[in-house]
Amino acid sequence: MEKEYKVFCCTHIDTECFNDPLYTLLHTGADYDGKKYKNMLADNTGDNISNKKDKFDGLVTGLYWIWKNTNYEITGICSYRGYMSYDGKKPIGLNETKELFENKQIDFIAARAEVPMSIYATTKKYEAEIFARNMHNPFEYLREAVEYVDPAYLNAFDHVMYKGSILNCRHTFIARRKYFAHYCEWIFNVMTKYDQILKEKHYQFSGYRFYGGIIEIMERVWLINNPINVLELPIIMITEQNVGYIN
């Protein structure tokens, strides 16, 4: 039986995704935005966290929806502007994805690891807020959450958080279903525990989509701790007006 492949292209605006049967548009944060778009799936159906976009980020509410409400054998997520590319010229398509998973036995395609300047800038911003308020470092609480869910991840966590690891950013990847589900179960369990710890500590911060940034960091932690066949591909951007062409 032929494998089912689907990558969900997440968006918060009425747009189009790259013209290839691999991709399907998903309106993320639909409950939070209060908008409805025709001919587009929305992440406010079934089991969802659509109304938590302000805390998590639209790509994360979309990730949760894909995990809980779909069952494609090969599944993935990207944004409506940023796609992984196999040839560096256009977004990866269905035929190339089939080649990688069926003939080259790839388990997980991740965005190429890079030095995420936006993440480091965000981290510095929160550090400034922490010291100004004389608050406990929130990343130490994150480590507590990781240890609670599965202490086997602590070495990978320490490597990423404290040794300047490069990161697989942008919440963009394609994976075999069992690894997609394994990653999602782990990361959302960690974030649930993290949220609980912060509430118990009466910890407050003003950062919009702070948890989304945390999850972007944590993908690298999961990849380091799971010895599977990973291929990293570069991200390319396409224009909103001329979908299918490189910006």
PDB file of all heavy atoms in Angstrom, residues 9 16-24 83 90-94 238 242-245:
ATOM      1  N   CYS A   9       0.772  23.388   5.878  1.00  0.00           N
ATOM      2  CA  CYS A   9       1.341  24.716   5.694  1.00  0.00           C
ATOM      3  C   CYS A   9       0.533  25.704   6.538  1.00  0.00           C
ATOM      4  O   CYS A   9      -0.609  26.023   6.211  1.00  0.00           O
ATOM      5  CB  CYS A   9       1.279  25.067   4.213  1.00  0.00           C
ATOM      6  SG  CYS A   9       2.000  26.640   3.787  1.00  0.00           S
ATOM      7  N   GLU A  16      -2.166  31.267  -0.147  1.00  0.00           N
ATOM      8  CA  GLU A  16      -1.996  29.986  -0.808  1.00  0.00           C
ATOM      9  C   GLU A  16      -0.667  29.386  -0.363  1.00  0.00           C
ATOM     10  O   GLU A  16       0.233  30.092   0.075  1.00  0.00           O
ATOM     11  CB  GLU A  16      -2.005  30.148  -2.333  1.00  0.00           C
ATOM     12  CG  GLU A  16      -3.314  30.678  -2.894  1.00  0.00           C
ATOM     13  CD  GLU A  16      -3.253  30.860  -4.400  1.00  0.00           C
ATOM     14  OE1 GLU A  16      -2.149  30.674  -4.970  1.00  0.00           O
ATOM     15  OE2 GLU A  16      -4.274  31.197  -5.000  1.00  0.00           O
ATOM     16  N   CYS A  17      -0.567  28.059  -0.495  1.00  0.00           N
ATOM     17  CA  CYS A  17       0.712  27.418  -0.216  1.00  0.00           C
ATOM     18  C   CYS A  17       1.347  26.982  -1.530  1.00  0.00           C
ATOM     19  O   CYS A  17       0.742  27.085  -2.599  1.00  0.00           O
ATOM     20  CB  CYS A  17       0.540  26.226   0.730  1.00  0.00           C
ATOM     21  SG  CYS A  17      -0.556  24.925   0.154  1.00  0.00           S
ATOM     22  N   PHE A  18       2.563  26.504  -1.448  1.00  0.00           N
ATOM     23  CA  PHE A  18       3.272  26.053  -2.633  1.00  0.00           C
ATOM     24  C   PHE A  18       2.448  24.995  -3.352  1.00  0.00           C
ATOM     25  O   PHE A  18       1.877  24.088  -2.735  1.00  0.00           O
ATOM     26  CB  PHE A  18       4.635  25.492  -2.234  1.00  0.00           C
ATOM     27  CG  PHE A  18       5.465  25.029  -3.394  1.00  0.00           C
ATOM     28  CD1 PHE A  18       5.972  25.929  -4.312  1.00  0.00           C
ATOM     29  CD2 PHE A  18       5.740  23.683  -3.561  1.00  0.00           C
ATOM     30  CE1 PHE A  18       6.744  25.508  -5.386  1.00  0.00           C
ATOM     31  CE2 PHE A  18       6.509  23.246  -4.629  1.00  0.00           C
ATOM     32  CZ  PHE A  18       7.005  24.161  -5.544  1.00  0.00           C
ATOM     33  N   ASN A  19       2.399  25.107  -4.684  1.00  0.00           N
ATOM     34  CA  ASN A  19       1.536  24.248  -5.487  1.00  0.00           C
ATOM     35  C   ASN A  19       2.165  22.868  -5.693  1.00  0.00           C
ATOM     36  O   ASN A  19       2.867  22.619  -6.671  1.00  0.00           O
ATOM     37  CB  ASN A  19       1.255  24.911  -6.831  1.00  0.00           C
ATOM     38  CG  ASN A  19       0.251  24.129  -7.661  1.00  0.00           C
ATOM     39  OD1 ASN A  19      -0.488  23.294  -7.141  1.00  0.00           O
ATOM     40  ND2 ASN A  19       0.219  24.394  -8.949  1.00  0.00           N
ATOM     41  N   ASP A  20       1.897  21.980  -4.738  1.00  0.00           N
ATOM     42  CA  ASP A  20       2.382  20.605  -4.804  1.00  0.00           C
ATOM     43  C   ASP A  20       1.443  19.773  -3.933  1.00  0.00           C
ATOM     44  O   ASP A  20       1.010  20.236  -2.871  1.00  0.00           O
ATOM     45  CB  ASP A  20       3.813  20.503  -4.270  1.00  0.00           C
ATOM     46  CG  ASP A  20       4.404  19.114  -4.454  1.00  0.00           C
ATOM     47  OD1 ASP A  20       4.128  18.228  -3.617  1.00  0.00           O
ATOM     48  OD2 ASP A  20       5.140  18.902  -5.443  1.00  0.00           O
ATOM     49  N   PRO A  21       1.101  18.540  -4.356  1.00  0.00           N
ATOM     50  CA  PRO A  21       0.158  17.729  -3.580  1.00  0.00           C
ATOM     51  C   PRO A  21       0.625  17.373  -2.177  1.00  0.00           C
ATOM     52  O   PRO A  21      -0.161  16.880  -1.367  1.00  0.00           O
ATOM     53  CB  PRO A  21      -0.020  16.471  -4.438  1.00  0.00           C
ATOM     54  CG  PRO A  21       1.140  16.462  -5.385  1.00  0.00           C
ATOM     55  CD  PRO A  21       1.479  17.890  -5.619  1.00  0.00           C
ATOM     56  N   LEU A  22       1.895  17.623  -1.868  1.00  0.00           N
ATOM     57  CA  LEU A  22       2.391  17.349  -0.523  1.00  0.00           C
ATOM     58  C   LEU A  22       1.764  18.284   0.499  1.00  0.00           C
ATOM     59  O   LEU A  22       1.585  17.912   1.657  1.00  0.00           O
ATOM     60  CB  LEU A  22       3.917  17.519  -0.498  1.00  0.00           C
ATOM     61  CG  LEU A  22       4.632  17.289   0.832  1.00  0.00           C
ATOM     62  CD1 LEU A  22       4.483  15.835   1.295  1.00  0.00           C
ATOM     63  CD2 LEU A  22       6.110  17.669   0.707  1.00  0.00           C
ATOM     64  N   TYR A  23       1.394  19.509   0.080  1.00  0.00           N
ATOM     65  CA  TYR A  23       1.017  20.558   1.019  1.00  0.00           C
ATOM     66  C   TYR A  23      -0.487  20.793   1.107  1.00  0.00           C
ATOM     67  O   TYR A  23      -1.202  20.736   0.104  1.00  0.00           O
ATOM     68  CB  TYR A  23       1.702  21.870   0.638  1.00  0.00           C
ATOM     69  CG  TYR A  23       3.200  21.780   0.683  1.00  0.00           C
ATOM     70  CD1 TYR A  23       3.948  21.619  -0.486  1.00  0.00           C
ATOM     71  CD2 TYR A  23       3.890  21.847   1.887  1.00  0.00           C
ATOM     72  CE1 TYR A  23       5.325  21.523  -0.453  1.00  0.00           C
ATOM     73  CE2 TYR A  23       5.273  21.749   1.933  1.00  0.00           C
ATOM     74  CZ  TYR A  23       5.980  21.588   0.761  1.00  0.00           C
ATOM     75  OH  TYR A  23       7.348  21.493   0.805  1.00  0.00           O
ATOM     76  N   THR A  24      -0.930  21.097   2.338  1.00  0.00           N
ATOM     77  CA  THR A  24      -2.306  21.505   2.611  1.00  0.00           C
ATOM     78  C   THR A  24      -2.292  22.672   3.585  1.00  0.00           C
ATOM     79  O   THR A  24      -1.571  22.633   4.588  1.00  0.00           O
ATOM     80  CB  THR A  24      -3.118  20.344   3.225  1.00  0.00           C
ATOM     81  OG1 THR A  24      -3.279  19.314   2.251  1.00  0.00           O
ATOM     82  CG2 THR A  24      -4.497  20.814   3.686  1.00  0.00           C
ATOM     83  N   TYR A  83       9.774  27.174   3.601  1.00  0.00           N
ATOM     84  CA  TYR A  83       9.714  25.749   3.266  1.00  0.00           C
ATOM     85  C   TYR A  83      11.121  25.165   3.264  1.00  0.00           C
ATOM     86  O   TYR A  83      12.081  25.843   2.914  1.00  0.00           O
ATOM     87  CB  TYR A  83       9.121  25.541   1.866  1.00  0.00           C
ATOM     88  CG  TYR A  83       7.702  26.010   1.682  1.00  0.00           C
ATOM     89  CD1 TYR A  83       7.404  27.362   1.547  1.00  0.00           C
ATOM     90  CD2 TYR A  83       6.652  25.095   1.603  1.00  0.00           C
ATOM     91  CE1 TYR A  83       6.102  27.798   1.351  1.00  0.00           C
ATOM     92  CE2 TYR A  83       5.345  25.517   1.401  1.00  0.00           C
ATOM     93  CZ  TYR A  83       5.078  26.872   1.274  1.00  0.00           C
ATOM     94  OH  TYR A  83       3.786  27.299   1.081  1.00  0.00           O
ATOM     95  N   LYS A  90      13.716  25.400  -4.827  1.00  0.00           N
ATOM     96  CA  LYS A  90      12.260  25.393  -4.660  1.00  0.00           C
ATOM     97  C   LYS A  90      11.906  24.526  -3.459  1.00  0.00           C
ATOM     98  O   LYS A  90      12.721  23.705  -3.005  1.00  0.00           O
ATOM     99  CB  LYS A  90      11.589  24.864  -5.920  1.00  0.00           C
ATOM    100  CG  LYS A  90      11.872  23.408  -6.226  1.00  0.00           C
ATOM    101  CD  LYS A  90      11.179  22.957  -7.498  1.00  0.00           C
ATOM    102  CE  LYS A  90      11.360  21.462  -7.737  1.00  0.00           C
ATOM    103  NZ  LYS A  90      12.760  21.046  -7.807  1.00  0.00           N
ATOM    104  N   PRO A  91      10.682  24.677  -2.920  1.00  0.00           N
ATOM    105  CA  PRO A  91      10.276  23.834  -1.786  1.00  0.00           C
ATOM    106  C   PRO A  91      10.296  22.349  -2.141  1.00  0.00           C
ATOM    107  O   PRO A  91      10.013  21.969  -3.281  1.00  0.00           O
ATOM    108  CB  PRO A  91       8.846  24.313  -1.492  1.00  0.00           C
ATOM    109  CG  PRO A  91       8.815  25.722  -1.985  1.00  0.00           C
ATOM    110  CD  PRO A  91       9.679  25.723  -3.217  1.00  0.00           C
ATOM    111  N   ILE A  92      10.624  21.535  -1.194  1.00  0.00           N
ATOM    112  CA  ILE A  92      10.607  20.097  -1.402  1.00  0.00           C
ATOM    113  C   ILE A  92       9.191  19.654  -1.747  1.00  0.00           C
ATOM    114  O   ILE A  92       8.207  20.152  -1.187  1.00  0.00           O
ATOM    115  CB  ILE A  92      11.130  19.351  -0.156  1.00  0.00           C
ATOM    116  CG1 ILE A  92      11.323  17.861  -0.468  1.00  0.00           C
ATOM    117  CG2 ILE A  92      10.220  19.554   1.046  1.00  0.00           C
ATOM    118  CD1 ILE A  92      12.042  17.112   0.635  1.00  0.00           C
ATOM    119  N   GLY A  93       9.068  18.749  -2.708  1.00  0.00           N
ATOM    120  CA  GLY A  93       7.761  18.293  -3.154  1.00  0.00           C
ATOM    121  C   GLY A  93       7.499  16.846  -2.778  1.00  0.00           C
ATOM    122  O   GLY A  93       8.321  16.179  -2.133  1.00  0.00           O
ATOM    123  N   LEU A  94       6.349  16.352  -3.216  1.00  0.00           N
ATOM    124  CA  LEU A  94       5.935  14.992  -2.870  1.00  0.00           C
ATOM    125  C   LEU A  94       6.908  13.949  -3.406  1.00  0.00           C
ATOM    126  O   LEU A  94       7.282  13.015  -2.688  1.00  0.00           O
ATOM    127  CB  LEU A  94       4.525  14.725  -3.407  1.00  0.00           C
ATOM    128  CG  LEU A  94       3.960  13.328  -3.157  1.00  0.00           C
ATOM    129  CD1 LEU A  94       3.878  13.019  -1.672  1.00  0.00           C
ATOM    130  CD2 LEU A  94       2.578  13.182  -3.811  1.00  0.00           C
ATOM    131  N   ILE A 238       9.322  32.044   0.149  1.00  0.00           N
ATOM    132  CA  ILE A 238       8.618  32.373  -1.084  1.00  0.00           C
ATOM    133  C   ILE A 238       7.744  33.592  -0.838  1.00  0.00           C
ATOM    134  O   ILE A 238       7.368  33.882   0.283  1.00  0.00           O
ATOM    135  CB  ILE A 238       7.770  31.199  -1.609  1.00  0.00           C
ATOM    136  CG1 ILE A 238       6.643  30.840  -0.636  1.00  0.00           C
ATOM    137  CG2 ILE A 238       8.618  29.992  -1.887  1.00  0.00           C
ATOM    138  CD1 ILE A 238       5.688  29.818  -1.201  1.00  0.00           C
ATOM    139  N   ASN A 242       3.402  35.572  -5.183  1.00  0.00           N
ATOM    140  CA  ASN A 242       3.784  34.705  -6.282  1.00  0.00           C
ATOM    141  C   ASN A 242       4.215  33.352  -5.737  1.00  0.00           C
ATOM    142  O   ASN A 242       5.380  32.985  -5.788  1.00  0.00           O
ATOM    143  CB  ASN A 242       4.921  35.350  -7.081  1.00  0.00           C
ATOM    144  CG  ASN A 242       4.914  34.919  -8.532  1.00  0.00           C
ATOM    145  OD1 ASN A 242       4.083  34.112  -8.949  1.00  0.00           O
ATOM    146  ND2 ASN A 242       5.825  35.466  -9.314  1.00  0.00           N
ATOM    147  N   VAL A 243       3.269  32.621  -5.197  1.00  0.00           N
ATOM    148  CA  VAL A 243       3.569  31.363  -4.522  1.00  0.00           C
ATOM    149  C   VAL A 243       4.214  30.389  -5.495  1.00  0.00           C
ATOM    150  O   VAL A 243       3.736  30.164  -6.609  1.00  0.00           O
ATOM    151  CB  VAL A 243       2.279  30.748  -3.940  1.00  0.00           C
ATOM    152  CG1 VAL A 243       2.568  29.383  -3.331  1.00  0.00           C
ATOM    153  CG2 VAL A 243       1.693  31.688  -2.895  1.00  0.00           C
ATOM    154  N   GLY A 244       5.317  29.792  -5.051  1.00  0.00           N
ATOM    155  CA  GLY A 244       6.020  28.838  -5.898  1.00  0.00           C
ATOM    156  C   GLY A 244       7.343  29.385  -6.414  1.00  0.00           C
ATOM    157  O   GLY A 244       8.109  28.657  -7.011  1.00  0.00           O
ATOM    158  N   TYR A 245       7.589  30.673  -6.174  1.00  0.00           N
ATOM    159  CA  TYR A 245       8.848  31.264  -6.631  1.00  0.00           C
ATOM    160  C   TYR A 245       9.659  31.736  -5.445  1.00  0.00           C
ATOM    161  O   TYR A 245       9.122  32.145  -4.432  1.00  0.00           O
ATOM    162  CB  TYR A 245       8.566  32.440  -7.575  1.00  0.00           C
ATOM    163  CG  TYR A 245       7.963  31.996  -8.881  1.00  0.00           C
ATOM    164  CD1 TYR A 245       6.585  31.820  -8.993  1.00  0.00           C
ATOM    165  CD2 TYR A 245       8.766  31.694  -9.964  1.00  0.00           C
ATOM    166  CE1 TYR A 245       6.018  31.377 -10.176  1.00  0.00           C
ATOM    167  CE2 TYR A 245       8.206  31.248 -11.161  1.00  0.00           C
ATOM    168  CZ  TYR A 245       6.830  31.102 -11.258  1.00  0.00           C
ATOM    169  OH  TYR A 245       6.280  30.655 -12.425  1.00  0.00           O
TER     170      TYR A 245
END
